[in-house]
Amino acid sequence: MDAQIKKGVLDACVLYAISKGESYGYKIITDLQGVMEISESTLYPILKRLEAGGAVTTRTQEFNGRLRRYYKITPIGLDKLNESKRDFEAINAIYLKIFGGKR
């Protein structure tokens, strides 16, 4: 898969997982199981990029003696998620026109 397309898909999936409610890294990974494989080494740079872009906010809280970082989607993140959905729908329509829904 093209790196730029994969980046957009990963960002959209992470934003979708967080849009269901405040979450943390391991939970995001488990929430995405069955949809796509994502490792911690892939997830955390995505979360950092989304935070830098204002798509998510973070807070830390102690859990079992360790600090856990929680992520929450922002209005900017919701806009990005909706934009991704529209983009994927447009791309899907193009593929269906080209390939006629056949593999």
Side-chain angles (χ1 to χ4, degrees), residues 21-101:
E22 188 177 60
S23 196
Y24 54 94
Y26 181 75
K27 184 169 183 336
I28 294 167
I29 290 170
T30 58
D31 287 348
L32 292 176
Q33 284 179 347
V35 175
M36 68 181 329
E37 293 289 322
I38 187 168
S39 66
E40 288 182 29
S41 62
T42 300
L43 176 64
Y44 287 105
I46 292 169
L47 290 168
K48 189 171 189 139
R49 184 176 62 248
L50 292 171
E51 182 181 13
V56 298
T57 58
T58 63
R59 70 174 179 87
T60 55
Q61 181 175 330
E62 188 174 329
F63 180 81
N64 287 340
R66 297 177 58 199
L67 285 180
R68 179 182 279 175
R69 181 170 282 200
Y70 290 86
Y71 299 87
K72 183 176 180 179
I73 197 164
T74 66
I76 291 170
L78 287 172
D79 288 345
K80 287 178 70 80
L81 182 58
N82 288 326
E83 180 182 341
S84 293
K85 183 180 177 189
R86 287 189 302 272
D87 289 346
F88 293 137
E89 288 170 348
I91 290 168
N92 189 47
I94 292 167
Y95 276 103
L96 288 174
K97 285 181 183 178
I98 292 171
F99 299 112

